Amino acid sequence: MEVRLQKYLADAGVASRRKAEELIAQGKVKVNGEVVTEMGCKIDPKKDEVTYLDKKIDTKETKMVYVMLNKPVGYVTTAKEQFGRPAVVDLVKGVNARIFPVGRLDYDTSGLLLLTNDGDLTYKLTHPKHDVDKTYIAKLHGIPDEGALQKFRRGVTIDGVKTKPAKIQIIEKDKDGRYCVAEIIIHEGRNRQVRKMCEAIKHPVMQLQRVATGDLKLGDLAKGKYRHLTEKEVKYLKKL
Ligand code: URA
């Protein structure tokens, strides 16, 4: 059966599907010895030989790996970092596969980050049409009043586009009003979205941690540690 080249690369754990498209466009992928840069290209995994940077790809060898990491502050989620800062992939060195973060968390955000070599799942989970709830615990400057909370819930304009309705609930208040802790649930994944939304209601984020993606919870996983997902958790993600 024929498959699209970028899907084939993603399934083989070379990169996420979107990243694979970039690799193809950059001329790093060959099919039967010829560079292919066109995106619609389909291949037959049984007949065609595909190489990435001239290394043969073999999907039969690829075992899917799904990991949950408790990302500490001070790590980047990109694999290659221009400023030499530590990367989350360094924290999962014990995993015997090339795995990639599913989406991203800011350098200064901690918490639940999924990593996998299942490019198909990454593609699904990061696609805007899949509204997976992401739950954050945020420490905010000051204490938003009811008006500010309502504004947040209805959606605020960031980078010229209004955010979808979101949830916010204050779970702890400083007695002198200097800060509060809030549980925030959003289902979009725009760049620095929670931080920008909190800025928009004039209660900027002091600390931010992701504690859940859909039903998957960080639980008591220690900072900087990872665990493999259970079969049940993987099934759940694939069904989303
Ligand atoms: N929203 C943010 O502002 N930062 C993150 O890392 C995740 C969501």
Side-chain angles (χ1 to χ4, degrees), residues 13-16 19 65 67-72 74-82 84-105 107 111 113-117 224-226:
V14 173
S16 70
K19 185 80 196 162
V65 176
V67 158
M68 176 192 293
L69 170 74
N70 185 352
K71 175 194 174 296
Y75 281 77
V76 290
T77 38
T78 41
K80 284 225 172 61
E81 223 280 302
Q82 50 176 334
R85 297 179 293 185
V88 290
V89 286
D90 299 334
L91 296 170
V92 292
K93 282 252 165 76
V95 176
N96 204 8
R98 270 158 47 91
I99 54 174
F100 305 91
V102 178
R104 55 185 302 280
L105 280 183
Y107 180 71
L113 184 70
L114 299 175
L115 297 105
T116 181
N117 54 354
K225 297 288 179 209
Y226 69 86

Short mmCIF file of all heavy atoms in Angstrom, two decimals, residues 13-16 19 65 67-72 74-82 84-105 107 111 113-117 224-226:
data_model
loop_
_atom_site.label_atom_id
_atom_site.label_comp_id
_atom_site.label_asym_id
_atom_site.label_seq_id
_atom_site.Cartn_x
_atom_site.Cartn_y
_atom_site.Cartn_z
N GLY A 13 9.73 7.37 12.78
CA GLY A 13 10.35 8.04 13.91
C GLY A 13 11.49 8.97 13.53
O GLY A 13 12.31 9.35 14.35
N VAL A 14 11.53 9.36 12.24
CA VAL A 14 12.60 10.28 11.80
C VAL A 14 12.33 11.68 12.35
O VAL A 14 13.24 12.35 12.83
CB VAL A 14 12.68 10.31 10.25
CG1 VAL A 14 13.65 11.38 9.78
CG2 VAL A 14 13.08 8.96 9.72
N ALA A 15 11.08 12.10 12.30
CA ALA A 15 10.68 13.42 12.80
C ALA A 15 9.16 13.47 12.82
O ALA A 15 8.52 12.57 12.29
CB ALA A 15 11.23 14.52 11.90
N SER A 16 8.62 14.54 13.39
CA SER A 16 7.17 14.70 13.33
C SER A 16 6.77 14.92 11.87
O SER A 16 7.63 15.22 11.04
CB SER A 16 6.74 15.91 14.15
OG SER A 16 7.17 17.08 13.51
N LYS A 19 7.72 18.36 10.61
CA LYS A 19 9.19 18.48 10.50
C LYS A 19 9.67 17.67 9.29
O LYS A 19 10.56 18.10 8.55
CB LYS A 19 9.81 17.96 11.79
CG LYS A 19 11.30 18.13 11.89
CD LYS A 19 11.69 19.55 12.28
CE LYS A 19 13.16 19.76 11.97
NZ LYS A 19 13.53 21.14 11.92
N VAL A 65 7.46 4.42 21.04
CA VAL A 65 7.76 4.71 22.44
C VAL A 65 6.97 5.97 22.84
O VAL A 65 6.95 6.95 22.08
CB VAL A 65 9.28 4.97 22.62
CG1 VAL A 65 9.60 5.38 24.04
CG2 VAL A 65 10.08 3.74 22.22
N VAL A 67 6.36 8.58 26.12
CA VAL A 67 6.94 8.94 27.41
C VAL A 67 6.31 10.22 27.94
O VAL A 67 5.96 11.12 27.16
CB VAL A 67 8.48 9.13 27.22
CG1 VAL A 67 9.08 9.99 28.29
CG2 VAL A 67 9.18 7.79 27.14
N MET A 68 6.14 10.28 29.26
CA MET A 68 5.71 11.53 29.90
C MET A 68 6.88 12.04 30.74
O MET A 68 7.43 11.31 31.55
CB MET A 68 4.51 11.29 30.82
CG MET A 68 4.07 12.53 31.58
SD MET A 68 2.90 12.17 32.92
CE MET A 68 1.47 11.64 32.01
N LEU A 69 7.24 13.31 30.51
CA LEU A 69 8.34 13.93 31.25
C LEU A 69 7.78 15.06 32.12
O LEU A 69 6.87 15.77 31.70
CB LEU A 69 9.36 14.51 30.25
CG LEU A 69 10.46 15.40 30.82
CD1 LEU A 69 11.51 14.56 31.56
CD2 LEU A 69 11.14 16.21 29.72
N ASN A 70 8.33 15.18 33.33
CA ASN A 70 8.04 16.39 34.11
C ASN A 70 9.16 17.38 33.82
O ASN A 70 10.23 17.34 34.41
CB ASN A 70 7.96 16.07 35.61
CG ASN A 70 7.52 17.29 36.41
OD1 ASN A 70 7.42 18.39 35.89
ND2 ASN A 70 7.24 17.07 37.69
N LYS A 71 8.88 18.25 32.86
CA LYS A 71 9.91 19.20 32.40
C LYS A 71 10.21 20.23 33.49
O LYS A 71 9.30 20.90 33.97
CB LYS A 71 9.42 19.91 31.13
CG LYS A 71 10.35 21.00 30.64
CD LYS A 71 9.66 21.89 29.61
CE LYS A 71 10.50 23.07 29.19
NZ LYS A 71 10.80 24.03 30.26
N PRO A 72 11.49 20.38 33.81
CA PRO A 72 11.83 21.46 34.75
C PRO A 72 11.91 22.80 34.02
O PRO A 72 12.08 22.82 32.79
CB PRO A 72 13.23 21.06 35.25
CG PRO A 72 13.53 19.72 34.67
CD PRO A 72 12.66 19.55 33.47
N GLY A 74 13.88 25.92 32.64
CA GLY A 74 15.29 26.03 32.24
C GLY A 74 15.70 25.00 31.20
O GLY A 74 16.89 24.77 31.00
N TYR A 75 14.72 24.40 30.54
CA TYR A 75 14.99 23.47 29.43
C TYR A 75 14.17 23.90 28.22
O TYR A 75 13.02 24.31 28.38
CB TYR A 75 14.62 22.03 29.81
CG TYR A 75 15.65 21.37 30.68
CD1 TYR A 75 15.73 21.67 32.04
CD2 TYR A 75 16.57 20.48 30.15
CE1 TYR A 75 16.70 21.09 32.85
CE2 TYR A 75 17.54 19.88 30.95
CZ TYR A 75 17.60 20.20 32.29
OH TYR A 75 18.56 19.63 33.08
N VAL A 76 14.77 23.76 27.04
CA VAL A 76 14.01 24.06 25.82
C VAL A 76 13.43 22.76 25.27
O VAL A 76 14.01 21.68 25.47
CB VAL A 76 14.89 24.73 24.73
CG1 VAL A 76 15.28 26.15 25.14
CG2 VAL A 76 16.12 23.91 24.41
N THR A 77 12.29 22.89 24.57
CA THR A 77 11.67 21.68 24.02
C THR A 77 12.15 21.36 22.61
O THR A 77 11.90 20.28 22.10
CB THR A 77 10.12 21.79 24.01
OG1 THR A 77 9.75 23.11 23.69
CG2 THR A 77 9.54 21.41 25.33
N THR A 78 12.85 22.31 21.98
CA THR A 78 13.39 22.01 20.64
C THR A 78 14.61 21.12 20.78
O THR A 78 15.32 21.16 21.79
CB THR A 78 13.81 23.32 19.92
OG1 THR A 78 14.45 24.15 20.87
CG2 THR A 78 12.61 24.02 19.33
N ALA A 79 14.84 20.29 19.76
CA ALA A 79 15.94 19.33 19.84
C ALA A 79 17.30 20.04 19.71
O ALA A 79 18.23 19.78 20.45
CB ALA A 79 15.79 18.28 18.77
N LYS A 80 17.35 20.97 18.76
CA LYS A 80 18.62 21.70 18.56
C LYS A 80 18.44 23.11 19.04
O LYS A 80 17.49 23.79 18.68
CB LYS A 80 18.98 21.70 17.07
CG LYS A 80 19.53 20.38 16.62
CD LYS A 80 20.77 20.58 15.74
CE LYS A 80 21.44 19.26 15.45
NZ LYS A 80 20.54 18.34 14.73
N GLU A 81 19.37 23.60 19.82
CA GLU A 81 19.19 24.88 20.47
C GLU A 81 20.33 25.81 20.10
O GLU A 81 21.49 25.48 20.28
CB GLU A 81 19.17 24.65 21.98
CG GLU A 81 18.12 25.42 22.69
CD GLU A 81 18.53 26.86 22.93
OE1 GLU A 81 19.55 27.10 23.56
OE2 GLU A 81 17.79 27.75 22.46
N GLN A 82 19.96 27.01 19.62
CA GLN A 82 21.01 27.90 19.12
C GLN A 82 21.82 28.55 20.23
O GLN A 82 22.94 28.97 20.01
CB GLN A 82 20.40 28.94 18.19
CG GLN A 82 19.19 29.65 18.76
CD GLN A 82 18.69 30.74 17.84
OE1 GLN A 82 19.41 31.30 17.06
NE2 GLN A 82 17.40 31.03 17.95
N GLY A 84 22.67 27.10 23.15
CA GLY A 84 23.35 26.12 24.00
C GLY A 84 22.66 25.86 25.33
O GLY A 84 23.27 25.38 26.28
N ARG A 85 21.37 26.16 25.40
CA ARG A 85 20.64 25.88 26.65
C ARG A 85 20.30 24.39 26.71
O ARG A 85 20.20 23.73 25.68
CB ARG A 85 19.35 26.72 26.71
CG ARG A 85 19.63 28.21 26.74
CD ARG A 85 18.38 29.03 26.78
NE ARG A 85 17.60 28.93 25.55
CZ ARG A 85 16.50 29.63 25.30
NH1 ARG A 85 16.04 30.47 26.20
NH2 ARG A 85 15.85 29.49 24.17
N PRO A 86 20.11 23.85 27.92
CA PRO A 86 19.77 22.42 28.01
C PRO A 86 18.44 22.11 27.31
O PRO A 86 17.54 22.96 27.29
CB PRO A 86 19.64 22.16 29.51
CG PRO A 86 20.03 23.40 30.21
CD PRO A 86 20.16 24.51 29.22
N ALA A 87 18.34 20.92 26.74
CA ALA A 87 17.14 20.53 26.00
C ALA A 87 16.47 19.34 26.68
O ALA A 87 17.15 18.50 27.28
CB ALA A 87 17.51 20.16 24.56
N VAL A 88 15.15 19.27 26.57
CA VAL A 88 14.41 18.18 27.22
C VAL A 88 14.87 16.80 26.74
O VAL A 88 14.84 15.84 27.51
CB VAL A 88 12.87 18.29 27.05
CG1 VAL A 88 12.32 19.45 27.84
CG2 VAL A 88 12.48 18.36 25.60
N VAL A 89 15.30 16.71 25.47
CA VAL A 89 15.73 15.39 24.97
C VAL A 89 16.91 14.84 25.78
O VAL A 89 17.10 13.63 25.87
CB VAL A 89 16.06 15.40 23.45
CG1 VAL A 89 14.79 15.48 22.62
CG2 VAL A 89 17.02 16.50 23.08
N ASP A 90 17.69 15.75 26.39
CA ASP A 90 18.80 15.29 27.25
C ASP A 90 18.29 14.57 28.50
O ASP A 90 19.02 13.81 29.13
CB ASP A 90 19.67 16.47 27.69
CG ASP A 90 20.30 17.19 26.50
OD1 ASP A 90 20.48 16.53 25.46
OD2 ASP A 90 20.58 18.39 26.61
N LEU A 91 17.05 14.85 28.88
CA LEU A 91 16.50 14.24 30.10
C LEU A 91 15.93 12.85 29.84
O LEU A 91 15.57 12.14 30.78
CB LEU A 91 15.39 15.14 30.69
CG LEU A 91 15.83 16.51 31.18
CD1 LEU A 91 14.63 17.37 31.51
CD2 LEU A 91 16.73 16.37 32.40
N VAL A 92 15.80 12.49 28.56
CA VAL A 92 15.21 11.18 28.24
C VAL A 92 16.24 10.31 27.50
O VAL A 92 15.88 9.47 26.68
CB VAL A 92 13.90 11.33 27.41
CG1 VAL A 92 12.80 11.94 28.25
CG2 VAL A 92 14.12 12.18 26.16
N LYS A 93 17.49 10.55 27.83
CA LYS A 93 18.58 9.82 27.17
C LYS A 93 18.47 8.31 27.37
O LYS A 93 18.94 7.53 26.55
CB LYS A 93 19.93 10.32 27.70
CG LYS A 93 20.36 11.66 27.10
CD LYS A 93 21.52 11.48 26.12
CE LYS A 93 21.75 12.67 25.23
NZ LYS A 93 22.41 13.79 25.91
N GLY A 94 17.86 7.90 28.49
CA GLY A 94 17.75 6.47 28.79
C GLY A 94 16.78 5.74 27.85
O GLY A 94 16.75 4.52 27.81
N VAL A 95 15.98 6.49 27.10
CA VAL A 95 15.01 5.86 26.20
C VAL A 95 15.72 5.44 24.92
O VAL A 95 16.42 6.24 24.29
CB VAL A 95 13.86 6.85 25.85
CG1 VAL A 95 12.92 6.24 24.84
CG2 VAL A 95 13.13 7.26 27.10
N ASN A 96 15.53 4.20 24.54
CA ASN A 96 16.27 3.65 23.41
C ASN A 96 15.58 3.93 22.08
O ASN A 96 15.28 3.02 21.32
CB ASN A 96 16.44 2.15 23.63
CG ASN A 96 17.62 1.62 22.87
OD1 ASN A 96 18.40 2.41 22.31
ND2 ASN A 96 17.76 0.32 22.83
N ALA A 97 15.30 5.20 21.81
CA ALA A 97 14.65 5.58 20.55
C ALA A 97 14.79 7.09 20.39
O ALA A 97 14.99 7.81 21.37
CB ALA A 97 13.17 5.20 20.59
N ARG A 98 14.70 7.54 19.13
CA ARG A 98 14.73 8.99 18.89
C ARG A 98 13.32 9.54 19.08
O ARG A 98 12.48 9.39 18.21
CB ARG A 98 15.21 9.26 17.46
CG ARG A 98 16.74 9.41 17.38
CD ARG A 98 17.28 9.14 16.00
NE ARG A 98 16.54 9.80 14.94
CZ ARG A 98 16.84 11.03 14.46
NH1 ARG A 98 17.82 11.72 14.96
NH2 ARG A 98 16.14 11.54 13.47
N ILE A 99 13.09 10.13 20.23
CA ILE A 99 11.74 10.63 20.50
C ILE A 99 11.72 12.15 20.48
O ILE A 99 12.73 12.80 20.72
CB ILE A 99 11.16 10.08 21.83
CG1 ILE A 99 12.11 10.36 23.00
CG2 ILE A 99 10.89 8.59 21.72
CD1 ILE A 99 11.51 9.97 24.34
N PHE A 100 10.53 12.68 20.17
CA PHE A 100 10.39 14.13 20.00
C PHE A 100 9.24 14.64 20.86
O PHE A 100 8.24 13.93 21.02
CB PHE A 100 10.08 14.46 18.53
CG PHE A 100 11.07 13.89 17.58
CD1 PHE A 100 10.90 12.63 17.02
CD2 PHE A 100 12.22 14.61 17.27
CE1 PHE A 100 11.84 12.09 16.17
CE2 PHE A 100 13.17 14.07 16.41
CZ PHE A 100 12.98 12.82 15.86
N PRO A 101 9.36 15.88 21.35
CA PRO A 101 8.26 16.44 22.13
C PRO A 101 6.99 16.59 21.30
O PRO A 101 7.05 16.92 20.12
CB PRO A 101 8.78 17.82 22.55
CG PRO A 101 10.25 17.79 22.35
CD PRO A 101 10.51 16.81 21.25
N VAL A 102 5.86 16.34 21.93
CA VAL A 102 4.56 16.58 21.31
C VAL A 102 4.19 18.01 21.64
O VAL A 102 3.82 18.32 22.76
CB VAL A 102 3.49 15.61 21.86
CG1 VAL A 102 2.13 15.88 21.23
CG2 VAL A 102 3.91 14.16 21.63
N GLY A 103 4.33 18.91 20.69
CA GLY A 103 4.11 20.33 20.97
C GLY A 103 5.25 20.88 21.81
O GLY A 103 6.33 20.29 21.85
N ARG A 104 4.99 22.01 22.47
CA ARG A 104 6.09 22.61 23.21
C ARG A 104 5.65 23.20 24.54
O ARG A 104 4.47 23.46 24.75
CB ARG A 104 6.78 23.67 22.35
CG ARG A 104 5.86 24.76 21.81
CD ARG A 104 6.60 25.68 20.87
NE ARG A 104 7.74 26.32 21.51
CZ ARG A 104 7.65 27.39 22.31
NH1 ARG A 104 6.48 27.92 22.58
NH2 ARG A 104 8.72 27.92 22.84
N LEU A 105 6.62 23.38 25.39
CA LEU A 105 6.43 24.15 26.62
C LEU A 105 7.55 25.20 26.63
O LEU A 105 8.67 24.90 26.22
CB LEU A 105 6.57 23.27 27.87
CG LEU A 105 5.40 22.40 28.31
CD1 LEU A 105 5.76 21.67 29.60
CD2 LEU A 105 4.13 23.21 28.52
N TYR A 107 10.55 27.66 27.77
CA TYR A 107 11.78 27.50 28.57
C TYR A 107 11.47 27.67 30.07
O TYR A 107 11.92 26.91 30.90
CB TYR A 107 12.76 28.58 28.09
CG TYR A 107 14.09 28.61 28.77
CD1 TYR A 107 15.03 27.61 28.54
CD2 TYR A 107 14.43 29.66 29.64
CE1 TYR A 107 16.27 27.65 29.15
CE2 TYR A 107 15.67 29.70 30.25
CZ TYR A 107 16.58 28.70 30.00
OH TYR A 107 17.80 28.74 30.61
N GLY A 111 6.49 21.10 33.85
CA GLY A 111 5.34 20.19 33.87
C GLY A 111 5.26 19.18 32.75
O GLY A 111 6.26 18.85 32.10
N LEU A 113 5.07 17.01 29.73
CA LEU A 113 5.43 17.05 28.31
C LEU A 113 5.48 15.62 27.80
O LEU A 113 6.16 14.78 28.39
CB LEU A 113 6.80 17.73 28.13
CG LEU A 113 7.25 17.92 26.68
CD1 LEU A 113 6.40 18.97 25.97
CD2 LEU A 113 8.72 18.33 26.63
N LEU A 114 4.73 15.36 26.73
CA LEU A 114 4.78 14.02 26.12
C LEU A 114 5.87 14.01 25.07
O LEU A 114 6.09 15.00 24.37
CB LEU A 114 3.44 13.68 25.47
CG LEU A 114 2.22 13.63 26.40
CD1 LEU A 114 0.94 13.41 25.60
CD2 LEU A 114 2.39 12.54 27.45
N LEU A 115 6.55 12.87 24.97
CA LEU A 115 7.55 12.69 23.90
C LEU A 115 7.31 11.33 23.27
O LEU A 115 7.00 10.36 23.97
CB LEU A 115 8.97 12.74 24.46
CG LEU A 115 9.40 14.07 25.08
CD1 LEU A 115 9.41 13.98 26.59
CD2 LEU A 115 10.78 14.46 24.58
N THR A 116 7.46 11.27 21.96
CA THR A 116 7.22 10.00 21.26
C THR A 116 7.95 9.98 19.92
O THR A 116 8.35 11.03 19.41
CB THR A 116 5.71 9.76 21.05
OG1 THR A 116 5.52 8.51 20.39
CG2 THR A 116 5.08 10.84 20.19
N ASN A 117 8.09 8.79 19.36
CA ASN A 117 8.56 8.68 17.97
C ASN A 117 7.37 8.36 17.05
O ASN A 117 7.55 8.07 15.88
CB ASN A 117 9.65 7.60 17.85
CG ASN A 117 9.22 6.27 18.41
OD1 ASN A 117 8.15 6.15 18.99
ND2 ASN A 117 10.06 5.26 18.25
N GLY A 224 12.05 16.60 36.30
CA GLY A 224 13.20 16.11 35.54
C GLY A 224 13.13 14.62 35.25
O GLY A 224 13.98 14.08 34.55
N LYS A 225 12.12 13.94 35.81
CA LYS A 225 12.00 12.49 35.60
C LYS A 225 10.96 12.19 34.52
O LYS A 225 10.08 13.00 34.26
CB LYS A 225 11.57 11.80 36.90
CG LYS A 225 12.58 11.95 38.01
CD LYS A 225 13.80 11.12 37.73
CE LYS A 225 14.83 11.29 38.83
NZ LYS A 225 16.20 11.11 38.39
N TYR A 226 11.06 10.99 33.95
CA TYR A 226 10.07 10.58 32.96
C TYR A 226 9.58 9.18 33.28
O TYR A 226 10.21 8.45 34.04
CB TYR A 226 10.65 10.64 31.55
CG TYR A 226 11.71 9.61 31.27
CD1 TYR A 226 11.37 8.33 30.82
CD2 TYR A 226 13.06 9.89 31.45
CE1 TYR A 226 12.34 7.38 30.57
CE2 TYR A 226 14.04 8.95 31.20
CZ TYR A 226 13.68 7.69 30.76
OH TYR A 226 14.63 6.75 30.51
#
